[in-house]
Amino acid sequence: MPTDHFKFSAPLSADILIVEDEPKMARLLQTYLTAAGYASHWISDGREALPQVRSRMPDLILLDIMLPGCDGWQICRQLREFSDVPILMLSARIGEEDRLQGLELGADDYICKTPFSPREIVARVKAMLRRRQHDTPAAPSALHIDAELHSASIDGVTLSLTPQEYRLLKALAAAPGRVFSRDQLLDKLHDDYRPVTDRAVDSHIKNLRRKLEPFFDGRNVIHAIYGVGYKFEIVESH
């Protein structure tokens, strides 16, 4: 049986997480980001920030400081305990001490919302993502899936996968960029139609991510789409 080969390349569009409790401002930012070619997701409660980052792994975060539930200072500090995702802090505070505090906590940039300029924010986003792309090592060139041996490798290095992880990877890699629902992925897990739950998919995806991360400098390549399912960030195949 033939081996399937998949080439890796950069995502078509960066995914921006907006953490902002003012709906009008958040929607305006989304409008400008969409016009610039970026995907975005908005949450208004600070308590949702860390779970969203862990599940979605955005390419950049626009982080307000004054938030309900958990303020931007706390979020930034906690994010830096497990992620180096670029953070652009947004604040109505213009004092030097506030800017310094944000940078000392691990923010990559800080911009005052007064006066509010979405064009400047988008320009800063572009600059930060360019720096990020320049600093990030190139992705591996190829994923090989051997359907006969039920094995997968990246650049010649065989992945240690369980049968369920292999099936999930094969399904996701065969349709790069496509979002699979959990029900669709459940159908891929077992051949004998044994009863399984959504939690089984999440557990296998978590383990699969962990095994793939070393090949991507620790970056996540299987992204959770909130309320829908998962997709694999391969944008070209042959």
Side-chain angles (χ1 to χ4, degrees):
M1 297 181 68
T3 300
D4 294 324
H5 305 276
F6 303 95
K7 274 191 176 181
F8 290 82
S9 60
L12 287 174
S13 171
D15 183 26
I16 313 297
L17 174 62
I18 302 170
V19 189
E20 168 62 62
D21 65 336
E22 297 182 34
K24 290 183 179 179
M25 185 171 294
R27 285 194 291 266
L28 185 59
L29 283 172
Q30 287 191 293
T31 297
Y32 274 78
L33 288 168
T34 299
Y38 300 123
S40 64
H41 179 61
W42 166 47
I43 59 175
S44 59
D45 192 317
R47 290 167 293 194
E48 300 177 22
L50 295 182
Q52 282 291 312
V53 172
R54 290 184 185 277
S55 65
R56 193 180 182 91
M57 289 297 181
D59 296 294
L60 185 143
I61 301 174
L62 295 177
L63 178 61
D64 189 20
I65 293 178
M66 304 303 294
L67 293 164
C70 183
D71 66 36
W73 305 128
Q74 295 172 285
I75 293 169
C76 186
R77 183 186 301 109
Q78 294 172 34
L79 278 173
R80 284 297 175 251
E81 293 178 359
F82 69 90
S83 175
D84 64 350
V85 60
I87 299 172
L88 173 55
M89 298 198 83
L90 310 175
S91 177
R93 305 184 182 195
I94 61 175
E96 181 182 21
E97 290 300 320
D98 292 309
R99 293 196 299 273
L100 291 176
Q101 182 175 350
L103 296 173
E104 288 173 357
L105 287 173
D108 297 88
D109 203 352
Y110 184 107
I111 188 170
C112 295
K113 296 194 292 185
T114 306
F116 180 60
S117 174
R119 293 179 61 186
E120 181 182 358
I121 293 174
V122 171
R124 301 240 192 151
V125 166
K126 290 180 178 179
M128 292 169 67
L129 289 172
R130 281 196 299 268
R131 291 196 298 269
R132 177 76 169 189
Q133 185 176 22
H134 177 75
D135 293 339
T136 301
S141 60
L143 164 69
H144 304 278
I145 292 181
D146 191 314
E148 184 174 359
L149 296 177
H150 281 68
S151 68
S153 63
I154 295 178
D155 286 353
V157 179
T158 300
L159 301 172
S160 178
L161 304 178
T162 66
Q164 292 77 25
E165 291 163 3
Y166 165 79
R167 293 188 184 107
L168 287 174
L169 178 59
K170 182 181 179 183
L172 290 165
R178 173 185 168 185
V179 179
F180 288 82
S181 69
R182 284 178 172 81
D183 285 342
Q184 289 172 320
L185 293 175
L186 277 172
D187 292 339
K188 309 291 184 181
L189 282 181
H190 299 284
D191 295 329
D192 53 5
Y193 303 100
R194 70 183 70 177
V196 290
T197 66
D198 287 359
R199 291 181 181 272
V201 171
D202 294 337
S203 178
H204 290 307
I205 289 290
K206 179 181 178 180
N207 292 331
L208 182 57
R209 281 171 166 170
R210 177 175 51 81
K211 294 177 180 181
L212 292 172
E213 281 178 355
F215 296 91
F216 294 87
D217 195 38
R219 292 173 62 106
N220 173 39
V221 295
I222 300 179
H223 294 264
I225 307 303
Y226 185 73
V228 183
Y230 295 95
K231 69 175 180 178
F232 195 29
E233 284 294 347
I234 303 176
V235 298
E236 181 183 352
S237 65
H238 72 279

